[in-house]
Amino acid sequence: MKILNKNAFIVSCQAEEGEPLFGKDTMVKMSIAAQMGGADAIRSLYPDVVREVKKEIKIPIIGITKNRNLKGAFITTTKKDIDELVQAKADFIALDCTRRERPEPLPELFRYLKSKYPDIGIIADIADLDDVKNIIPLKPDYIATTLSGYTDYTINRPRPDYELIREIIKITNIPVIAEGNFSTPLQARKAILNGAYAVTVGTAITRPQIITQKFKEYLVDFQDDELLAVGIDIGGTWTRGVLVDRFGEIKKSDKVRTASTGKEVISNMLALIKKLKTEETHFIGVATGGRIDFKTGVVGFSTGLIPDWKGVRIADIIEKEFDIRPIVDNDANCASYFQHFVTDEDNLLMITVGTGIGGGIINNGHIVRGAKGGGGEIGHIIYPSNTRKCSCGKVGCVETILSGRYLKENIYGKEGKVVSDKIKEYSKVMAWFIDTLKSTLDFNKCYLGGVLPNLKKKLLITY
């Protein structure tokens, strides 16, 4: 029996009936191209295709059949399927090993394959860990995560499913092939690093109609001549709104004082959106203080700067009102991303000085949000000897001596040596703050935003 090399890269060259590349000639050329590019094996659909591909390539072939008319399992589900793939000279045969309804019992298929065709390798296509536990006694040569996310009992599994790879290698020594929704070189590499023996990529390489569709989905909104978005910034003092075009030019703007309760803040936000929104408005974005679950648009945690804010489902509320699913993120994250977008810098820190202190971190072009949306909450780093109590409940947070609130109380509108000394002390703390963050984050540039630029003639911070 042939074996697959460790760390092998397998290309799934498939086209089903009705797809534009369906046909033996096309799949043969696709397989040759994959081999030329360095593929270590080919996963090929239908016996007649396997037979023709085998004539042209030297690397192993994993053969499968598909019967979409079946209610449950549909990949190589009968002895007849096995016979036809073996006759077509497949080196390995992949079987649907999920817990779904099937025309012939799985143990029977394994016994048949092992007894009649002992030189043919068996790959078990599974969807979750329970599938794996069921087939371990049957002793397949490889286990593939092919069907994770494609059965009714795995519909909510992550894609790609790195967790499943890690789970499998804990309970068996049978080599794991990572397959299913791997679409980038980095994801393939990550699969190996998570313990996969090999990795299979299909659609991202061999289905140009799907690849094209993904690109098109990212551009479809640009079909409209007028593409407008409403942006809302909920701060501790002001709630501001703008209507912008696709180039970022502000068409309209307005603001209201941030209310004293979460319910009023939401009411004012909706009123601002309604006032700014037009028929050409396709997007809504909300920036707010606090830890935001970026995927759900829910406030995970907030200090007392906005009362009753924790747990507010901002995205759901806006979608219900305007039938537009908004993007909701931490305000400093939004500021840092805008800076990255404008200056094209991939590693930066944005410190926003407002009612509190916010931080936005761009690392390798991506916002650092953290596991629960708390990435960048730099205002709650403790400054030595600081005894002020913060709105978050801790004592000594740097926010209490660097925020706009502190500036208003101690510096704005004041003159004399006392103020000059306070500015120097403020500068000293800010320099310490930036230096501390630089040692941790190693950014290229640090930007200071919010109210701080108002002091540019009095305050000089260099790093």
Side-chain angles (χ1 to χ4, degrees):
M1 182 187 77
K2 286 189 178 181
I3 62 171
L4 294 171
N5 295 330
K6 187 172 176 58
N7 304 325
F9 180 60
I10 304 163
V11 177
S12 181
C13 296
Q14 299 183 34
E16 298 185 50
E17 191 169 356
E19 294 187 38
L21 297 188
F22 177 72
K24 294 187 291 247
D25 293 343
T26 307
M27 286 299 102
V28 168
K29 291 177 180 178
M30 191 74 78
S31 301
I32 293 171
Q35 179 181 253
M36 187 180 296
D40 298 294
I42 299 294
R43 183 167 163 125
S44 189
L45 174 63
Y46 302 131
D48 59 335
V49 176
V50 170
R51 182 176 292 104
E52 296 306 313
V53 171
K54 187 68 177 179
K55 294 176 183 177
E56 302 295 335
I57 68 171
K58 298 178 180 179
I59 54 179
I61 295 178
I62 301 166
I64 65 170
T65 63
K66 287 184 179 180
N67 186 348
R68 295 286 186 180
N69 294 322
L70 297 175
K71 291 181 180 179
F74 65 93
I75 299 175
T76 321
T77 55
T78 67
K79 300 184 191 69
K80 180 175 180 292
D81 293 337
I82 292 171
D83 289 337
E84 291 177 347
L85 288 169
V86 173
Q87 291 163 13
K89 310 230 180 264
D91 301 290
F92 300 87
I93 291 178
L95 304 175
D96 190 323
C97 293
T98 59
R99 304 190 301 280
R100 297 179 291 183
E101 178 184 341
R102 61 183 61 250
E104 296 181 25
L106 197 54
E108 191 175 305
L109 293 183
F110 268 80
R111 284 193 297 270
Y112 182 77
L113 226 170
K114 285 176 177 286
S115 62
K116 189 171 182 179
Y117 306 111
D119 294 333
I120 301 298
I122 303 176
I123 296 174
D125 286 352
I126 56 85
D128 69 359
L129 198 62
D130 286 334
D131 286 346
V132 175
K133 292 175 181 177
N134 285 342
I135 58 93
I136 286 176
L138 301 179
K139 298 181 179 180
D141 297 292
Y142 301 92
I143 296 171
T145 61
T146 313
L147 295 166
S148 174
Y150 293 101
T151 66
D152 57 357
Y153 53 88
T154 61
I155 195 70
N156 294 319
R157 294 285 304 187
R159 302 184 185 193
D161 201 340
Y162 302 110
E163 182 183 350
L164 182 56
I165 298 170
R166 295 192 295 268
E167 290 174 340
I168 296 172
I169 63 176
K170 287 179 182 177
I171 65 170
T172 180
N173 292 323
I174 299 172
V176 178
I177 300 174
E179 182 171 359
N181 294 287
F182 290 91
S183 57
T184 69
L186 183 60
Q187 289 175 342
R189 182 178 178 83
K190 189 174 178 181
I192 299 295
L193 292 173
N194 274 272
Y197 181 89
V199 60
T200 300
V201 176
T203 296
I205 296 175
T206 61
R207 280 194 166 102
Q209 75 275 19
I210 304 297
I211 302 169
T212 302
Q213 181 182 345
K214 288 181 178 179
F215 277 93
K216 181 64 175 178
E217 287 172 354
Y218 270 79
L219 300 174
V220 67
D221 51 310
F222 288 117
Q223 293 176 2
D224 299 302
D225 292 332
E226 286 294 331
L227 188 65
L228 301 177
V230 169
I232 301 293
D233 177 33
I234 303 172
T237 304
W238 293 99
T239 297
R240 306 173 189 270
V242 293
L243 177 70
V244 298
D245 64 15
R246 69 174 70 182
F247 306 108
E249 182 179 342
I250 296 175
K251 299 294 185 180
K252 290 193 292 184
S253 65
D254 204 349
K255 67 178 182 178
V256 295
R257 282 203 168 270
T258 299
S260 58
T261 68
K263 186 176 181 180
E264 290 177 289
V265 171
I266 287 293
S267 178
N268 290 344
M269 177 192 71
L270 295 176
L272 261 182
I273 295 173
K274 187 174 182 180
K275 188 174 183 180
L276 295 167
K277 184 178 174 293
T278 68
E279 291 184 1
E280 289 77 30
T281 301
H282 298 278
F283 301 99
I284 298 173
V286 178
T288 177
R291 296 180 184 178
I292 309 300
D293 186 324
F294 183 71
K295 292 181 179 179
T296 63
V298 177
V299 181
F301 173 79
S302 181
T303 66
L305 295 178
I306 305 178
D308 309 321
W309 203 230
K310 180 181 177 181
V312 175
R313 308 185 69 84
I314 300 175
D316 291 345
I317 292 169
I318 292 175
E319 184 176 28
K320 182 178 180 180
E321 185 73 18
F322 300 105
D323 199 27
I324 296 175
R325 185 71 179 177
I327 297 294
V328 183
D329 204 353
N330 172 268
D331 50 5
N333 284 347
C334 294
S336 66
Y337 188 79
F338 179 75
Q339 188 67 52
H340 156 71
F341 180 80
V342 171
T343 57
D344 200 26
E345 290 166 311
D346 285 344
N347 293 279
L348 66 87
L349 169 68
M350 168 67 73
I351 299 175
T352 57
V353 181
T355 308
I357 289 285
I361 305 162
I362 301 291
N363 179 253
N364 293 329
H366 298 281
I367 296 173
V368 177
R369 292 194 175 86
K372 296 182 179 179
E377 290 289 342
I378 58 176
H380 303 289
I381 293 173
I382 302 299
Y383 182 72
S385 75
N386 180 19
T387 59
R388 290 172 174 253
K389 186 173 181 179
C390 182
S391 59
C392 74
K394 295 195 300 183
V395 174
C397 293
V398 72
E399 176 173 295
T400 63
I401 51 176
L402 288 182
S403 68
R405 178 178 292 177
Y406 177 87
L407 290 170
K408 184 177 181 180
E409 292 173 356
N410 296 277
I411 295 175
Y412 284 160
K414 296 179 174 63
E415 299 291 342
K417 185 177 183 305
V418 174
V419 175
S420 179
D421 289 344
K422 286 190 177 294
I423 291 177
K424 288 180 182 178
E425 180 61 27
Y426 185 96
S427 301
K428 176 184 174 182
V429 175
M430 183 63 83
W432 170 88
F433 190 39
I434 295 172
D435 183 63
T436 299
L437 293 166
K438 172 69 172 174
S439 300
T440 305
L441 303 174
D442 193 26
F443 45 80
N444 288 333
K445 286 189 178 180
C446 175
Y447 291 88
L448 303 177
V451 301
L452 204 55
N454 296 335
L455 282 177
K456 60 186 177 182
K457 292 182 180 180
K458 296 183 178 180
L459 180 68
L460 178 62
I461 300 175
T462 59
Y463 186 84

